[in-house]
Amino acid sequence: MDSGDFIGIGPELRRLRRAEGLSQRQMAARLRLSAHSAVSDFELGRRIPAEDVVAAYERVLGLPPGRLEEYRRRDLAHRADLEFEAAARPAVEEPESPAAVPPVVRRRLPRRYLLAGAVLVLAVAAAASPTVAHPSEPGWVWSNQHVTDNAERVTPENMDGDDPRARGCAADSTTVVETPLLLPGGGDFGTLRLRHSAKCGTSWGSAYYANPDLYTVRIAAHRPADGAEVHSEWSNNTPPGSYGDMLSTATGCVWVEATVTTPAGTTSPVRTPCA
């Protein structure tokens, strides 16, 4: 597909919002997103909305279920193509040890698996930079997350919806509580942890697991005091796992939950206490 001819879900979301006469802030409120910058990210193509966010758009706009899902799937496929092409360029060195490449990359060739290989190659290349991985949690990367554009804010920044590593909040973070993360049927998958940064005054969810079969892990953070919530989704094998965006704890406690989706189904949400 010619990237110059590609039209993703972003322009369609912008067109539908404007047709309703809604601002980005009003749309974010109707979608129950904690930061209106998320709407801007979706419309500009900086982020692809998660499946539940697309469903929320359809409800808010009165669209038939699944009306926007095809746009979202095209976006995911297009991004897979671009990331694989970028990873295939000769500028990226091969890992020193074959063991560093998960077996799933070697034995499967469909696009979704090639995307996983592309992300892993980029993670290996990024490991040489001290700004990507923090010694307290070796291996984490934040290329799948976003940083809110300060120019979009009209109120003092509270980091709601921002990436903890990109915002420098992971350096002093600690695990407040953790709980087992299970597969459909009850098998062990990993752990869900509620992380907190005293320096930033924020909390977020962090899931630790190995994911060679590319199950989908969804993490959500909630702040009961004002109903704020942020959602993240990841379907690649990026040891030691994945993590979600932040919520400020200045106005109340935060709790996190996670689900795992496999071909067998989706688990019931695993939740932490509010802390």
Side-chain angles (χ1 to χ4, degrees):
M1 180 184 297
D2 185 347
S3 59
D5 298 333
F6 178 78
I7 299 177
I9 194 172
E12 180 68 3
L13 296 181
R14 183 188 301 110
R15 184 188 69 79
L16 292 169
R17 173 180 61 78
R18 290 177 173 174
E20 292 292 319
L22 299 173
S23 67
Q24 290 183 348
R25 190 179 297 277
Q26 290 170 328
M27 178 59 78
R30 294 195 182 190
L31 295 171
R32 296 180 60 83
L33 299 174
S34 62
H36 78 275
S37 59
V39 174
S40 176
D41 286 346
F42 298 150
E43 293 182 356
L44 294 175
R46 289 196 291 253
R47 301 171 69 193
I48 299 175
E51 186 177 355
D52 58 340
V53 175
V54 170
Y57 264 102
E58 293 171 343
R59 290 194 298 270
V60 168
L61 298 170
L63 301 174
R67 160 74 168 72
L68 295 173
E69 181 59 24
E70 180 61 25
Y71 283 93
R72 176 177 175 273
R73 292 183 180 179
R74 287 174 56 199
D75 261 13
L76 291 171
H78 183 64
R79 180 164 294 184
D81 290 339
L82 293 178
E83 293 190 8
F84 177 69
E85 290 171 4
R89 294 189 184 114
V92 179
E93 296 182 359
E94 292 292 329
E96 294 181 2
S97 171
V101 181
V104 65
V105 178
R106 292 178 174 274
R107 67 174 180 266
R108 299 180 184 178
L109 294 179
R111 176 184 292 152
R112 63 189 292 237
Y113 299 103
L114 294 175
L115 171 58
V119 173
L120 286 169
V121 171
L122 292 175
V124 171
S129 170
T131 63
V132 175
H134 188 270
S136 64
E137 295 179 281
W140 285 107
V141 297
W142 49 264
S143 60
N144 60 309
Q145 304 288 339
H146 81 290
V147 183
T148 299
D149 184 352
N150 291 338
E152 297 171 356
R153 294 189 181 273
V154 295
T155 57
E157 186 173 5
N158 63 8
M159 296 192 186
D160 278 358
D162 285 356
D163 179 283
R165 296 197 61 78
R167 302 298 282 174
C169 300
D172 76 320
S173 63
T174 58
T175 296
V176 179
V177 65
E178 66 179 79
T179 186
L181 190 58
L182 305 177
L183 293 168
D188 290 337
F189 182 66
T191 61
L192 171 65
R193 305 181 184 186
L194 174 62
R195 303 283 295 179
H196 178 72
S197 167
K199 178 186 70 174
C200 295
T202 56
S203 291
W204 62 92
S206 180
Y208 288 68
Y209 54 83
N211 194 19
D213 293 312
L214 308 184
Y215 300 146
T216 298
V217 180
R218 297 181 177 90
I219 302 174
H222 302 263
R223 187 171 57 221
D226 59 358
E229 57 185 65
V230 290
H231 296 262
S232 299
E233 178 180 315
W234 197 236
S235 303
N236 292 293
N237 191 24
T238 52
S242 62
Y243 61 95
D245 293 330
M246 302 183 291
L247 284 178
S248 169
T249 56
T251 58
C253 66
V254 170
W255 62 274
V256 298
E257 64 179 342
T259 61
V260 181
T261 299
T262 75
T266 300
T267 61
S268 298
V270 173
R271 298 183 171 98
T272 70
C274 198

